[in-house]
Amino acid sequence: MVGAGMIGAIHRRAAVLAGARITGVLASTPPRSERVAAEWQVPAYPSLDALLEDDSVDVVHICSPNATHAPYALRALAAGKHVVCEKPLAVSVAEAERMAETARSGGLVAAVPFVYRYHPLVREIRARRIDGEFGGWHLIHGSYLQDWMLSPQASGWRVDPVAGGPSRAFADIGSHWCDLVEWVSGERFAEVVASTSIAVDKRPAAGARTFSADSPDPSSAEYMDVRTEDCAALLLRTASGVLASTTVSQVSAGRKNRLWFELDGARASAVFDQENPETIWLGGEDGARLISRDPGHGSAEQRRLSVLPPGHAQGYAECFAAFVADTYAAIGGDRPEGLPTFDDGLRAARITEAVLRSSRNSSWTEV
């Protein structure tokens, strides 16, 4: 495990559930590596070199800041390790292209945790689309809203474009929405017109103490100008001509992690809300109904991923566990459906670049 923050801990949990033995952890500094290693009851690696020279390592999970993804992943692939790399895959398209090509040419499994693909009812909508239930799409729309950056005192390495890259909100969560909607709908976004905005123009400097909204002494923090977006609004057109729109925000009060989409077809519509993943809304001309997750009904993939009985809520953690389990199955030679790879990470990088270019140029931009 490279990186030991919130997402690193989630990777570790999913890896253990999938049967992995954690050989060690490399955190941001040697003291932090030692602290986390003690908590996880695993060894601490003194350096990336030491990790990559360990012959017992089969898979490297990269959960460190965005700017480190490309150099770390390329070194891991060169060392013959399979890689799970957090998104965004890279901070530029050129880096993402090199990463995807290196993984392909080396015959290694290289996965990106676009884990919302692993909600059972997302699989149900996709299966019904493949079966032709919805007809051709007329309109695609939705949003991905969070509020963790609402406070002017909220900050961290993601705000620094050197560490986080030129896009923040869209690269972080808008990429999830686009990946999920393309995969479920079968459509590919071909062009976009986008606008981004910065809601808070100064935040505590990356690396400085991060204060909560009710912090008694925010004045002691050093501040930096914010150069990455808090919000983005997109109008998209797919290769087949379907119109789509989405709104992305990390400053929408009360929205903790609301990835929502609606697919409107010629015969029926479908809605998924990640904050309420146990049901989906299916609409028809004669009315609408809610479908509940149930391992005894629905598509084969919905049943496979439904690990708890009906009425026993499962969500993000189970998605992550299923993604890591499928990654390890792929390493073992299986071909699990829907496993997001570095090619999908490259696709997200290209969409992100198009969004930024369109926002600068105020014009339709090809992906």
Side-chain angles (χ1 to χ4, degrees):
M1 295 289 169
V2 180
M6 177 275 290
I7 200 66
I10 291 172
H11 277 254
R12 174 212 174 230
R13 174 187 179 276
V16 170
L17 288 173
R21 178 176 64 86
I22 309 300
T23 62
V25 60
L26 176 66
S28 54
T29 65
R32 177 153 171 74
S33 294
E34 294 291 346
R35 287 196 302 273
V36 174
E39 292 173 11
W40 292 1
Q41 298 184 344
V42 301
Y45 285 110
S47 66
L48 186 63
D49 286 339
L51 184 155
L52 297 179
E53 290 167 2
D54 184 348
D55 291 336
S56 70
V57 175
D58 300 307
V59 189
V60 179
H61 286 247
I62 298 173
C63 316
S64 47
N66 301 343
T68 67
H69 292 176
Y72 289 1
L74 289 169
R75 288 188 60 190
L77 293 168
K81 314 295 187 184
H82 304 286
V83 175
V84 179
C85 183
E86 263 301 324
K87 33 75 14 211
L89 184 61
V91 296
S92 72
V93 170
E95 284 186 341
E97 287 175 339
R98 186 179 173 197
M99 295 165 75
E101 175 55 33
T102 300
R104 285 193 299 268
S105 62
L108 295 164
V109 173
V112 179
F114 285 125
V115 298
Y116 299 117
R117 294 185 182 194
Y118 282 85
H119 278 295
L121 289 177
V122 162
R123 300 273 171 143
E124 183 67 21
I125 295 173
R126 184 172 186 268
R128 288 169 181 254
R129 183 266 297 174
I130 292 171
D131 288 343
E133 179 174 324
F134 303 107
W137 300 121
H138 288 333
L139 182 67
I140 297 170
H141 50 114
S143 59
Y144 196 158
L145 309 175
Q146 298 176 332
D147 70 357
W148 71 282
M149 295 297 289
L150 182 64
S151 168
Q153 306 307 322
S155 192
W157 62 261
R158 293 181 185 277
V159 178
D160 181 358
V162 174
S167 172
R168 176 165 38 92
F170 186 83
D172 188 23
I173 60 176
S175 59
H176 267 300
W177 190 92
C178 289
D179 173 82
L180 188 65
V181 167
E182 285 195 331
W183 188 71
V184 173
S185 71
E187 294 287 333
R188 297 278 279 184
F189 298 127
E191 53 183 343
V192 60
V193 60
S195 184
T196 62
S197 66
I198 295 171
V200 179
D201 60 4
K202 289 185 182 295
R203 293 187 183 273
R209 180 183 170 192
T210 300
F211 295 88
S212 64
D214 56 356
S215 170
D217 186 22
S219 62
S220 63
E222 295 181 23
Y223 282 77
M224 62 179 175
D225 293 331
V226 175
R227 292 179 285 159
T228 54
E229 78 281 356
D230 291 304
C231 310
L234 282 63
L235 185 62
L236 306 112
R237 189 176 290 114
T238 73
S240 66
V242 179
L243 200 62
S245 65
T246 190
T247 302
V248 175
S249 168
Q250 293 181 324
V251 290
S252 294
R255 296 299 188 186
K256 301 306 177 185
N257 198 49
R258 190 178 190 253
L259 187 163
W260 182 94
F261 68 75
E262 177 166 337
L263 310 176
D264 296 332
R267 290 193 290 273
S269 299
V271 171
F272 175 76
D273 179 357
Q274 201 279 149
E275 288 189 337
N276 297 284
E278 290 286 272
T279 60
I280 52 174
W281 181 95
L282 299 178
E285 194 172 7
D286 58 349
R289 59 192 172 125
L290 291 178
I291 301 293
S292 297
R293 181 189 61 79
D294 187 342
H297 296 87
S299 66
E301 280 292 287
Q302 192 267 141
R303 296 183 188 209
R304 176 177 80 91
L305 295 173
S306 290
V307 296
L308 296 175
H312 297 73
Q314 65 176 73
Y316 178 80
E318 286 78 18
C319 289
F320 219 105
F323 157 73
V324 171
D326 271 8
T327 300
Y328 294 172
I331 291 170
D334 291 348
R335 301 188 67 179
E337 180 179 352
L339 178 67
T341 68
F342 275 20
D343 287 329
D344 299 298
L346 170 58
R347 171 69 180 166
R350 287 175 172 155
I351 294 175
T352 300
E353 183 188 64
V355 167
L356 293 180
R357 280 192 285 124
S358 177
S359 182
R360 290 193 299 268
N361 301 333
S362 300
S363 62
W364 280 98
T365 303
E366 290 186 0
V367 175

